[in-house]
Amino acid sequence: MYTTAFLDLPPLARAGGTVRLPGSKSISNRVLLLAGLAAGTTAVHDLLDSDDTRVMLDALSALGCGLRREGAVLHVTGLGGRLQTRQAALFLGNAGTAMRPLTAALAVLAATQGGCFELSGVPRMHERPIGDLVDALRALGCPVADLGRPGYPPLRVGDGQPVALNLAAPIRVRGDVSSQFLTALLLALPLVATTQDVAIEVDGELISKPYIDITLRLLERFGIAVQREGYARFVIARGAQYRSPGSIHVEGDASSASYFVALGAIAGVDAPVRIEGVGLDSIQGDIRFVEAAQAMGAQVTGGPGWLEIRRGAWPLRAVTLDANHIPDAAMTLASMALYAQGTTRLNNIASWRVKETDRIAAMAAELRKLGSVVDRKS
């Protein structure tokens, strides 16, 4: 077994060429869960292969979904909203995009159909808060038991007996910790909006709004139209029923695109850096990283499914930015700031603290190793 003590990166003055991006993690796991809940078979193209998608696939298989690969295409035969197994222990690694929505979907299904499911992950997952989602599910009437520290995984949803849910009152959820809590409810509640409208109301300012836009766009692809009042109230109309679109493509990951946008902005001197798989037509909020890069001086052109980036202003220009709309991609701006003249300020990034690691602390530590002055303000 070989280990790498260090990675020596020689100085490079120029970059150019073409890169094709892997599928979006956020879209991949949403599509997998939607396909798993829907009736019929969905052909999923360009699915990301990652730890997060693998644990979601393992969970869907354990729940009775049919999974069949045909070359690069995955065919998912869904449950049609009906549990095939009523008891399972699911290990979800460190995948927030699996833990939060599966908790909600299985809590609703277990409550209405009499199931019992345990959801756990790696130690770091057991440090990531889920209490606001649990509170919303309990208010709905779903039995949810803490198997460890209250407000954090591991959890048990359902107790094996069907219960009546309280769907008459709006389900309330906080929006200022993670948008994944709202996404989880939006994905789960169509399962029980059969005879009446179901409303969700958000307490506080919703962070990471573009990820909710992704959720709503994908729900529409699977037959669910959601009425909303801004980002404060969402209504799923009675008669909701998940339907497979037959075939769906996963966009390239816009967060990953930010690295190559930055590369072009810094070193695309003689030729552009071309990115394929995601373009200006992307449904992902992180595509707006392009606007931030342009503000720092990058030259960007693009179209459906592609982008090209060249160096423009040099050195780059410092910016002050509310990064709530690009929470993942904003970390790349912190690296670009090393090449900018002046002080770059990134605001509204508190959600970084509840990711796979404390991203604020990690970015500050690594940037300081390169000689940068980093000031953290709460």
Side-chain angles (χ1 to χ4, degrees), residues 26-27 29-35 37-38 101 105 181-191 193 198 200 211-228 234-237 240-245 248 283:
S26 296
I27 295 177
N29 263 358
R30 283 168 172 81
V31 164
L32 286 177
L33 182 56
L34 287 165
L37 296 174
F181 301 153
L182 175 57
T183 278
L185 292 172
L186 287 168
L187 295 175
L189 292 175
L191 295 167
V198 178
I200 308 168
Y211 288 102
I212 299 303
D213 294 333
I214 292 174
T215 300
L216 296 174
R217 291 281 293 272
L218 293 175
L219 280 167
E220 190 174 1
R221 290 291 307 276
F222 281 83
I224 306 298
V226 179
Q227 302 170 356
R228 67 186 179 98
F234 301 81
V235 178
I236 301 163
Q241 185 176 9
Y242 278 125
R243 296 187 302 274
S244 170
I248 192 166
I283 68 171

Side-chain angles (χ1 to χ4, degrees), residues 22-98:
S24 160
K25 178 178 74 173
S26 296
I27 295 177
S28 289
N29 263 358
R30 283 168 172 81
V31 164
L32 286 177
L33 182 56
L34 287 165
L37 296 174
T41 299
T42 304
V44 183
H45 299 257
D46 302 319
L47 181 72
L48 175 67
D49 181 11
S50 71
D51 288 344
D52 283 21
T53 53
R54 282 192 285 272
V55 296
M56 177 65 88
L57 287 168
D58 288 344
L60 294 179
S61 178
L63 293 171
C65 296
L67 304 174
R68 177 175 61 86
R69 292 196 177 273
E70 191 174 272
V73 181
L74 176 70
H75 298 267
V76 181
T77 301
L79 303 176
R82 302 300 303 174
L83 289 175
Q84 298 299 308
T85 179
R86 285 176 164 71
Q87 187 171 356
L90 305 178
F91 176 78
L92 301 174
N94 201 14
T97 56

Side-chain angles (χ1 to χ4, degrees), residues 116-134:
C116 182
F117 301 94
E118 293 186 4
L119 301 94
S120 64
V122 299
R124 172 57 184 169
M125 175 58 77
H126 298 171
E127 298 172 350
R128 298 176 67 180
I130 199 171
D132 295 314
L133 175 60
V134 168

Side-chain angles (χ1 to χ4, degrees), residues 133-142 165-167 169-172:
L133 175 60
V134 168
D135 289 345
L137 292 170
R138 285 174 175 159
L140 183 61
C142 298
L165 297 183
N166 176 23
L167 298 172
I171 295 95
R172 307 195 68 87

